[in-house]
Amino acid sequence: MTKVMACIDGSRAATAVCDYAAWASRRLRARLTFIHVLDKSQYPVDGNLSGNIGLGSRESLLEELTALDEKRGKLAREQGRLMLAAAKERAVADGIESPSCVQRHGSLVDTLLELEEDIRLLVMGKQGESTNGANRHIGSHLETVIRTMHRPILVTPHQFREPERVMFAFDGSATTRKGIEMVANSPLFRGLSCHILMAGKDGAGLREHLDWARATLARAGLDVTAEIREGDVINVSERYRQEHGIDLLIMGAYGHSRIREFLVGSTTTSMLTNATLPVLVLR
């Protein structure tokens, strides 16, 4: 796991993705790679429609459609190359030495899975090119990537602000305990103010988990504030964020079974949907 990899497309979040990826690359001292994937469903490699030809009178029309598909594909590839070049130029201006660029054709999820072994941190926009701010929902590609990948994923808003205060939404589960240990061992958070927040009724059980998390981060030399607040995790987190000027949220991903998520919804998806700041999702 050696690279910070940033997914670049034509969405509004693209410049913020560049900036957050450069920020993470500097702090982790990891190589930065930008990747652009042309969706094979929108831009098929083979534009040959001859198998669909029925009556001979339709042949010329289908040939023309094939030529148009090929032209669309070439234009999309060129647009992708230009976006990657702009991302590289922006990263160099941000102090990154020799960022690399990759362009692939196929499924975004399949491509990232092929490259997963080399990824230390994946950076993606909250909404992709197809959604692009039309609503508050997260992009479908993002949700699939989070469910599929086993790497930390930094989900960015549309604008960059360098993080100074981070908040860990902690629930004492195995996933979030592992996340606390990852935060303690990562140079990404050195020198930042770290807040640990638990949502629920204060008691011996939650207090024991919270004390462990506080001690783990404190031993790593981090400046730690820890608190339990009663209420729903989404509302509690939002109020705490506003009160303390939190710049980045850290949380675990999809702790429940798929059946339970279908019945009651996913806290992960809800938190991402409502978030107006970057979210680091840990698996």
Side-chain angles (χ1 to χ4, degrees), residues 180-246:
I180 287 289
E181 292 172 341
M182 291 174 64
V183 170
N185 294 321
S186 176
L188 190 63
F189 306 102
R190 292 288 179 266
L192 304 184
S193 175
C194 293
H195 296 248
I196 307 170
L197 179 66
M198 296 191 78
K201 190 172 180 61
D202 197 350
L206 290 187
R207 184 62 55 181
E208 183 179 352
H209 287 303
L210 190 67
D211 288 344
W212 172 86
R214 181 198 289 114
T216 300
L217 295 186
R219 281 196 300 271
L222 297 174
D223 175 24
V224 186
T225 301
E227 190 172 331
I228 298 173
R229 290 196 178 184
E230 189 168 352
D232 172 77
V233 62
I234 297 173
N235 294 326
V236 164
S237 297
E238 177 59 20
R239 287 196 298 270
Y240 191 95
R241 179 193 72 80
Q242 294 179 7
E243 291 172 14
H244 295 272
I246 300 299

Side-chain angles (χ1 to χ4, degrees), residues 256-265:
H256 299 306
S257 69
R258 292 303 302 273
I259 293 176
R260 177 170 173 78
E261 287 174 15
F262 178 77
L263 293 174
V264 301

Side-chain angles (χ1 to χ4, degrees), residues 164-185:
E164 297 178 358
R165 291 168 293 277
V166 304
M167 180 181 76
F168 198 118
F170 183 64
D171 62 9
S173 66
T175 298
T176 56
R177 288 175 75 92
K178 182 179 178 182
I180 287 289
E181 292 172 341
M182 291 174 64
V183 170
N185 294 321

Side-chain angles (χ1 to χ4, degrees), residues 108-109 112-113 116 122-127 138-156 175 251-255 258 261 266-273 279-283:
L108 174 64
V109 176
L112 292 176
L113 284 174
E116 184 174 25
L122 180 66
V123 185
M124 293 183 66
K126 177 179 174 179
Q127 295 177 328
I138 65 173
S140 58
H141 281 151
L142 173 61
E143 185 167 1
T144 305
V145 168
I146 292 174
R147 292 186 186 279
T148 306
M149 298 282 289
H150 292 86
R151 293 289 183 265
I153 301 172
L154 180 59
V155 182
T156 78
T175 298
M251 61 183 294
Y254 301 110
R258 292 303 302 273
E261 287 174 15
S266 164
T267 300
T268 305
T269 301
S270 298
M271 292 279 280
L272 285 169
T273 299
V279 181
L280 179 62
V281 182
L282 304 177
R283 295 300 304 271

